[in-house]
Amino acid sequence: MREGLTGSRIRERRVMAGLKQAELAQQSGISASYLNLIEHNRRRIGGKLLLNIAHALGVEPQALTEGAEAALIATLREAAEDAVLTGPESDRADEFAGRFPGWAKVLANSQRRIAALEQTVEALSDRLAHDPQLATSMHELLSTAAAIRSTAAILAETDSLQAEWRDRFHANIHQDSRRLSDSAQALVTYFDNAAETREVAHSPQAEVESFLAAHDYRFDPLEEARAPQAAIAALVEQADTLKTKAARHIATGVLQQIARDAAALPLARLERATGEMGHDPAELAQALDQPMGRVLRRLASLPDLGAGLVVCDRSGSVTFAKSIEGFTVPRFGACCPLWPLFAVQGQPGLVMKSRVMQMGRGQAEFEAIATCEVQAAAAYNTPPLSQSVMLLLPVPSGAAPAQPVGATCRICPVEGCRARREPSILREGI
């Protein structure tokens, strides 16, 4: 049983009513962007706003908020599975919640706390293994400490040092100590920033991801821009999150791709097509006479779809990622090679569609559609530059067999995987 959330129910009711997100937002007295955050369970809702939305949808408020007991029971059953609880007791979570609601909430809260801590451990382990800034800082700390220890040993073990050399060694220790202190302070600040927010940018790519997320991956100035380069320059210049030159360069490239896609396939045209024929990328690409890669990127910009998107270049490096709940794209280190994104690599024009389930806590399932496309015109004796694009659509679990995949080998619990590159820190069943 999956946990039902108010935002998800609002989205389901709106789709059933045939309302567009902008229409429901206007009737409820809020912006479409804020409603999008609500529907994706990124903002809590209650009080008058809940009543307004329920009235606009023609339902009782309880129809949008019910399910708290079901969520409690689902968490209890998840705790039972993690504890390998078998027999009659494993099927009596609802009875336990009914007879001892207080203790049931305590147990459920503990289970959620454990899940959050395990996710934190996974993320920190990934960073400790692959974060280049952290590796550089640790190397600086260890090198400086070794230098201080070596100099101190010379001073302590050599009795015949001349005063001039002794003064030099003392000066070296003083300088190295200051450098060690500065490095330690920088490392503490680095971890403090990471603890304060999950969106802190540790690299140019992370800065770009924060910039894109702040705009909800949709840029209306580029949809009808007569001078897209000027609009792109303005967006990059005004972005507070793009602090480095490298981040501004990457963001400019992403916005240029969005501008090219918008010129060939405006979102308004795509939304009309999806309203008539649904969201199947292959059918849309054929009906709109557009390449599959462009259709996948444009579909990821539709807030109603709630899709994720991952793009990698010919080297296999992820150059763009729009996150989706339940599917982790590692910020540091290599991704799972079993993703359909990499199966199409080097085969321009090939389109793969498969159901995948990323192993770990939650194990959400997705419809993954991936294709590879050439990025530049052909030239003699020059291998073409290409990139792979993968769209991720959330689907109900258990409806069809799903291919187990991981995020990265270090935090993947799948045993016996032929694609594994390094041992996992997770025990089986986590």
Side-chain angles (χ1 to χ4, degrees), residues 221-288:
L222 301 182
E223 292 299 322
E224 300 178 358
R226 296 183 179 180
Q229 293 304 321
I232 290 171
L235 286 168
V236 173
E237 183 67 26
Q238 297 169 6
D240 295 333
T241 55
L242 302 176
K243 301 182 182 300
T244 64
K245 184 177 180 180
R248 291 191 291 272
H249 174 78
I250 296 172
T252 299
V254 172
L255 294 177
Q256 288 173 343
Q257 179 69 73
I258 294 175
R260 290 192 295 269
D261 290 339
L265 181 58
L267 284 181
R269 182 186 176 197
L270 179 62
E271 289 173 339
R272 288 194 299 269
T274 57
E276 296 173 359
M277 55 191 305
H279 295 92
D280 185 270
E283 294 182 2
L284 289 169
Q286 185 175 4
L288 298 171

Side-chain angles (χ1 to χ4, degrees), residues 15-27:
V15 173
M16 291 172 58
L19 287 174
K20 292 184 177 180
Q21 200 171 52
E23 295 174 343
L24 179 57
Q26 183 178 11
Q27 295 178 26

Side-chain angles (χ1 to χ4, degrees), residues 148-162:
I148 293 174
R149 180 177 180 180
S150 176
T151 305
I154 294 174
L155 288 171
E157 298 172 3
T158 306
D159 297 330
S160 59
L161 276 178
Q162 298 178 3

Side-chain angles (χ1 to χ4, degrees), residues 119-392:
Q119 290 174 356
T120 301
V121 169
E122 292 176 12
L124 287 176
S125 175
D126 187 36
R127 286 179 57 193
L128 287 171
H130 302 293
D131 187 342
Q133 181 175 340
L134 182 58
T136 301
S137 299
M138 291 302 299
H139 176 74
E140 177 74 15
L141 284 173
L142 294 175
S143 298
T144 306
I148 293 174
R149 180 177 180 180
S150 176
T151 305
I154 294 174
L155 288 171
E157 298 172 3
T158 306
D159 297 330
S160 59
L161 276 178
Q162 298 178 3
E164 179 183 356
W165 282 101
R166 189 175 298 275
D167 292 340
R168 289 183 181 181
F169 283 130
H170 282 145
N172 289 341
I173 289 179
H174 175 68
Q175 293 174 359
D176 287 340
S177 297
R178 294 191 62 176
R179 186 156 58 98
L180 181 63
S181 176
D182 293 341
S183 298
Q185 183 59 49
L187 191 60
V188 170
T189 302
Y190 178 64
F191 280 116
D192 284 345
N193 289 339
E196 289 173 4
T197 173
R198 298 176 60 183
E199 302 298 331
V200 64
H202 303 301
S203 66
Q205 188 66 44
E207 293 180 33
V208 175
E209 291 175 14
S210 297
F211 165 68
L212 297 172
H215 289 268
D216 205 17
Y217 298 88
R218 180 163 178 161
F219 297 86
D220 292 335
L222 301 182
E223 292 299 322
E224 300 178 358
R226 296 183 179 180
Q229 293 304 321
I232 290 171
L235 286 168
V236 173
E237 183 67 26
Q238 297 169 6
D240 295 333
T241 55
L242 302 176
K243 301 182 182 300
T244 64
K245 184 177 180 180
R248 291 191 291 272
H249 174 78
I250 296 172
T252 299
V254 172
L255 294 177
Q256 288 173 343
Q257 179 69 73
I258 294 175
R260 290 192 295 269
D261 290 339
L265 181 58
L267 284 181
R269 182 186 176 197
L270 179 62
E271 289 173 339
R272 288 194 299 269
T274 57
E276 296 173 359
M277 55 191 305
H279 295 92
D280 185 270
E283 294 182 2
L284 289 169
Q286 185 175 4
L288 298 171
D289 193 24
Q290 295 289 332
M292 178 62 74
R294 176 172 294 144
V295 172
L296 296 182
R297 288 191 296 270
R298 296 267 81 191
L299 284 173
S301 297
L302 298 180
D304 290 354
L305 199 55
L309 187 74
V310 186
V311 180
C312 76
D313 60 17
R314 200 172 67 177
S315 72
S317 301
V318 173
T319 59
F320 177 91
K322 179 190 177 188
S323 61
I324 181 173
E325 185 176 357
F327 195 94
T328 301
V329 179
R331 182 165 289 176
F332 308 106
C335 305
C336 174
L338 300 181
W339 293 0
L341 176 73
F342 305 116
V344 300
Q345 190 75 319
Q347 305 181 70
L350 174 64
V351 181
M352 288 191 64
K353 179 181 179 181
S354 60
R355 182 175 292 241
V356 299
M357 176 175 62
Q358 194 171 72
M359 302 303 292
R361 185 169 296 278
Q363 299 186 357
E365 296 185 13
F366 304 90
E367 203 77 70
I369 303 99
T371 189
C372 181
E373 58 183 4
V374 176
Q375 291 181 276
Y380 292 116
N381 304 322
T382 303
L385 287 176
S386 62
Q387 69 176 10
S388 296
V389 184
M390 179 172 71
L391 184 73
L392 294 166

